[in-house]
Amino acid sequence: MFGELKHDLEADDASADEDPETHYNLGIAFREMGLLDEAIGELQKACLSFDRGHAFPQIMQTYTWLAQCFLEKGVPEAAVRWYEKALNVNGIDGETRVALNYELGGAFEAAGDKPSALKHFTNVYSNNIDYRDVAERIKGLKS
């Protein structure tokens, strides 16, 4: 199955180079198959295409998928970068912003950066005191 997908990818590579939707969908498919490196590569291509001016409404989701892949690979420092990019997307609502700050706090915590983790968890706490386990995470970081 992977061989067929890779062959199809190579055959359509020239036309899909600037199609962020195709790269996004392939990235999600690779992640679901557990192929994190391939998923990251495709998701990064979607981001590059977006950076080159191609319209892509799922860019925030792409950034968060990339962050999750890097966390799964044990590279939280890279995940931080993508969560920060997601936070800077124009037009995200307050609830999404809270969720992203929570995830970013977790990535900083996994990277060993307790002050930054505490900052983002406190941001979540100030907006929604009952959000997931944020109160416990703050308490744990302060002790």
Side-chain angles (χ1 to χ4, degrees):
M1 185 168 133
F2 175 67
E4 289 177 24
L5 185 57
K6 188 169 176 108
H7 175 72
D8 290 345
L9 246 178
E10 290 167 353
D12 294 334
D13 199 31
S15 64
D17 258 356
E18 294 300 325
D19 179 18
E21 186 78 32
T22 299
H23 292 297
Y24 174 79
N25 290 331
L26 285 168
I28 301 306
F30 283 140
R31 182 177 183 266
E32 289 173 357
M33 289 188 279
L35 303 168
L36 293 177
D37 289 332
E38 291 80 1
I40 289 168
E42 290 302 320
L43 293 168
Q44 287 175 334
K45 287 176 187 173
C47 293
L48 183 59
S49 181
F50 176 77
D51 290 346
R52 290 181 179 155
H54 294 272
F56 186 53
Q58 292 94 356
I59 194 62
M60 195 269 301
Q61 293 89 342
T62 306
Y63 294 153
T64 58
W65 277 108
L66 269 166
Q68 290 169 4
C69 287
F70 279 116
L71 283 174
E72 287 179 35
K73 283 187 64 73
V75 189
E77 300 84 358
V80 163
R81 173 182 184 237
W82 295 106
Y83 281 132
E84 287 177 336
K85 284 185 75 93
L87 265 174
N88 289 316
V89 170
N90 290 329
I92 60 173
D93 61 49
E95 193 173 314
T96 302
R97 190 168 298 284
V98 167
L100 286 170
N101 270 297
Y102 180 86
E103 296 300 333
L104 188 51
F108 273 121
E109 187 176 23
D113 185 346
K114 288 183 179 185
S116 293
L118 185 60
K119 173 187 161 198
H120 287 280
F121 286 138
T122 301
N123 184 301
V124 171
Y125 190 77
S126 71
N127 284 290
N128 184 349
I129 195 169
D130 295 320
Y131 194 83
R132 297 189 195 175
D133 62 347
V134 73
E136 289 129 36
R137 296 202 64 180
I138 290 171
K139 186 187 235 183
L141 286 166
K142 285 186 171 182
S143 59

